[in-house]
Amino acid sequence: MTAGRPYRVGYAPGAYDLFHIGHLNILRHARSQCDYLVAGVVSDEMAELAKGRRPMIPLVERLEIVRSVKYVDAAFVETAPDKLETWSQVRFDVLFKGDDWRGTPKGEKLERDFAGVGVEIVYFPYTVHTSSTQLRRSLDLLTQEPGRPAVISDAQR
């Protein structure tokens, strides 16, 4: 227990592909709000389900990167699409998300689902100027063959 606050396990899920300052900001802010931080690194298959494409960086490397961040106490491979299933394995007290989820159908569902088990959802400011999607688009443009238009899927728009 920490003086003045109950012991809290925090959970910060993400793909953490092309690790950038936005990822670091989420983990830093999350750690300041809990006593023990577990970072959930979604599997390649889960990322593909959610975003329509596999991460550029393989799971084993993303896991090692996140595990090495000083704000992270433990890293967990997330393989289930249902966050409540993840909660039953990790047993966190608070779940952290970027505020781009706030007020969205996904965010509202998350809040409803976790209200039933007493887990608080805390939103942090989304780092607008940097995202893995933007980095991936830039890499796609740099690596496309000359004279061929870049192909951007609906999921990337």
Side-chain angles (χ1 to χ4, degrees), residues 35-49:
D35 297 304
Y36 189 87
L37 179 62
V38 178
V41 181
V42 299
S43 68
D44 294 342
E45 296 77 17
M46 287 287 302
E48 187 171 18
L49 267 176

Side-chain angles (χ1 to χ4, degrees), residues 18-144:
L18 301 173
F19 196 89
H20 56 75
I21 192 67
H23 296 136
L24 187 62
N25 287 340
I26 288 281
L27 296 171
R28 178 187 305 120
H29 292 311
R31 187 62 177 85
S32 75
Q33 298 285 317
C34 63
D35 297 304
Y36 189 87
L37 179 62
V38 178
V41 181
V42 299
S43 68
D44 294 342
E45 296 77 17
M46 287 287 302
E48 187 171 18
L49 267 176
K51 298 186 181 236
R53 64 189 184 283
R54 293 178 83 74
M56 294 189 81
I57 308 299
L59 174 62
V60 68
E61 293 178 22
R62 292 182 288 122
L63 191 60
E64 185 61 28
I65 290 165
V66 170
R67 186 179 279 141
S68 298
V69 173
K70 72 179 182 178
Y71 306 111
V72 174
D73 295 297
F76 175 82
V77 177
E78 194 174 303
T79 58
D82 182 356
K83 292 277 190 263
L84 282 173
E85 189 174 326
T86 300
W87 173 80
S88 71
Q89 296 171 341
V90 178
R91 294 295 179 161
F92 45 86
D93 303 301
V94 58
L95 185 141
F96 302 104
K97 291 300 285 180
D99 66 2
D100 55 319
W101 277 60
R102 188 192 314 264
T104 67
K106 288 190 307 187
E108 289 170 357
K109 179 180 182 334
L110 203 62
E111 291 172 25
R112 280 191 310 275
D113 289 350
F114 280 107
V117 293
V119 171
E120 181 182 357
I121 307 298
V122 173
Y123 297 100
F124 291 126
Y126 181 73
T127 306
V128 178
H129 65 277
T130 304
S131 78
S132 295
T133 300
Q134 290 170 332
L135 291 171
R136 179 176 265 231
R137 283 184 187 149
S138 296
L139 285 171
D140 286 346
L141 289 172
L142 288 172
T143 59
Q144 80 182 36

Side-chain angles (χ1 to χ4, degrees), residues 1-5:
M1 280 211 164
T2 302
R5 143 175 115 176

